[in-house]
Every structure is written in C-alpha cells, then in structure tokens.
Amino acid sequence: MAQPNKEEWLKIADTFQQTCNFPNCVGAIDGKHICVLKPMRSGSQFFNYKKYFSVVLFAVCYANYCFRYIDVGSYGSSSDSAVFGHSDFGQMLITNALDLPGNTTLPGTTYPSMPFVFVGDEAISLGEHLMRPYSSRGLSIARRVFNYRLTRARRVVECAFGILSNKWRVLHSPIHLKLETAISAVKAACALHNFVRQRDGFNFEDSLSHSMECPIRSGVRGTTHGAAIRDHFTAYFMSPQGKLPWQMQAI
C-alpha cells in the first residue's frame, strides 16, 4: 500500500468522478471494530460501547474498493476522530505530507480552485482536505443534495468492509489469537483483499452487509476554511455543470 504520487492521486480522483460523481475526491475513510479476545492486563481500554472487546481497523479506500491505507490496533474504546487523529495518515494529512496535487477547478468551471479531499462521516473533523456531511437538522435542499453526493462517494469504503468481512470470515466472530497475532491477521486480510479484488473483481452482494460495528462517533468541530470549501461543493452540485439528473429524486 505505497503512498501515491501526484499523478496517481489524479488518476484516483478521475475514478471517483467517473464512478461516484464526486470531483476532486481522492479517498473515502472510515473505521470498524474488529472483535478480539480480551488482551491480558488491558483493563477496559479495548472494551467498546457495544460491550465487547475490540481493536479498530481504520482504512482509506479508493473507488475500486481497494484499501490504500490501513491502521489496525487502536483501542476499541477510542472514537473515530481519535483513531484518525493519532494515525500516521491523519498526521500526514495535517502536515501536508501526502503529496496531494495542487488545487484545481471543478469540471466545467473556471473559479474557484478547489483542493483535493477525502470524504467521511460525521465522526471526522471538517477541514481543507476532509469533507463530512452537514448536520441532519433543518437541512436546505442544497445541503441535502451535498449529503447525498458525499454518501455516494463515501459508500465505497463501507462496501470494501463488506467485501472484506464476507470474504475472510474470521472477521465475523472474535479472533481467538493473541492481540499482536490478531492484528497481523487483519493486516493480512486487507492485503489479500486488495490482491483478490484486483485479480478477480468482486461479487456486489458481498458488499451489501457486514458484521463490523463503527467506532463511537464523538462530536468534532471543523474549520471555517473547511466549511467554505464544503459550501463551494454544495453550490457546484446544484449548478448546471455539477448537478446529476436524478439527484432531486434521490433526496
């Protein structure tokens, strides 16, 4: 899972635009609980809000349902935002170390230049390179359209988790291994997932459901700059250049 260069990021963004109709998107992020036996002398660190012991699998996924980055082993009691913030990926994104391409205009427009972004759910903090949905209360039509368009892009990581867990059934039940070995098994499953996905494709029905729970979603605050970028995406999705013929019926 090597880090992409600028040219590869652009190809990833093209795939998201073609398959998910979300421009300038370079990845979907999410986290899931992996059920494990209670590690020795761990207290309640691995005991999650669903009342079982787990580690968190945090992943960044592409539109082809392959994982580009994974982080396995965070405490099950941790929130999605905490796992993301302490991960190597989160630190690289904050410090602009991912070698993302420079800002570019959205298709069919000449202004403004927009950054390349990752999409996630309400658990992540809104930022220049991170897009999350609007709060579900009192949404305007334009904001509901944005949430729909973001969900179309973000669902690829949910589908990837579904394919992963239905292909490697060890993830359907507690992993009866020592913690270090269980973490290695999950990493191996993710690597094999990428290999099999690229070689054989996948059965869409396998992506529809999985038994892995999401980490707890704590409230996080975004930046003003991130909010402005999200508003630009919202306006674009309502414009003649960016709207989809079926989006009004979908919301």
Side-chain angles (χ1 to χ4, degrees), residues 53-73:
F53 293 93
S54 67
V55 294
V56 176
L57 164 60
F58 170 79
V60 180
C61 187
Y62 293 164
N64 62 0
Y65 305 103
C66 287
F67 298 116
R68 174 51 67 180
Y69 173 86
I70 59 170
D71 180 278
V72 190

Side-chain angles (χ1 to χ4, degrees), residues 97-142:
L98 288 177
D99 196 28
L100 293 175
N103 294 4
T104 183
T105 56
L106 301 180
T109 67
T110 58
Y111 178 84
S113 292
M114 298 286 284
F116 287 84
V117 299
F118 296 87
V119 296
D121 57 22
E122 298 87 349
I124 67 167
S125 175
L126 185 66
E128 180 181 5
H129 298 291
L130 283 174
M131 291 291 103
R132 57 175 282 178
Y134 287 101
S135 173
S136 59
R137 293 176 294 180
L139 290 179
S140 65
I141 291 177

Side-chain angles (χ1 to χ4, degrees), residues 152-171:
R152 279 176 54 83
R154 191 183 64 82
R155 70 182 180 182
V156 300
V157 68
E158 290 283 349
C159 290
F161 283 135
I163 299 166
L164 175 73
S165 64
N166 286 308
K167 188 74 171 180
W168 313 106
R169 296 303 180 96
V170 66
L171 302 177

Side-chain angles (χ1 to χ4, degrees), residues 28-40:
I29 64 179
D30 200 5
K32 294 295 179 185
H33 285 292
I34 304 295
C35 189
V36 297
L37 298 179
K38 179 186 178 183
M40 294 182 62

Side-chain angles (χ1 to χ4, degrees), residues 181-239:
T181 308
I183 291 172
S184 295
V186 175
K187 291 179 178 179
C190 292
L192 288 169
H193 164 89
N194 282 3
F195 175 79
V196 173
R197 173 73 185 93
Q198 293 167 353
R199 189 192 66 177
D200 299 337
F202 71 100
N203 181 347
F204 181 73
E205 292 183 356
D206 285 343
S207 71
L208 297 180
S209 63
H210 57 77
S211 59
M212 296 186 289
E213 302 283 352
C214 293
I216 188 170
R217 294 171 178 172
S218 59
V220 289
R221 302 185 66 178
T223 65
T224 303
H225 184 44
I229 292 170
R230 182 170 63 178
D231 289 342
H232 283 306
F233 273 112
T234 302
Y236 175 76
F237 292 151
M238 295 298 292
S239 70

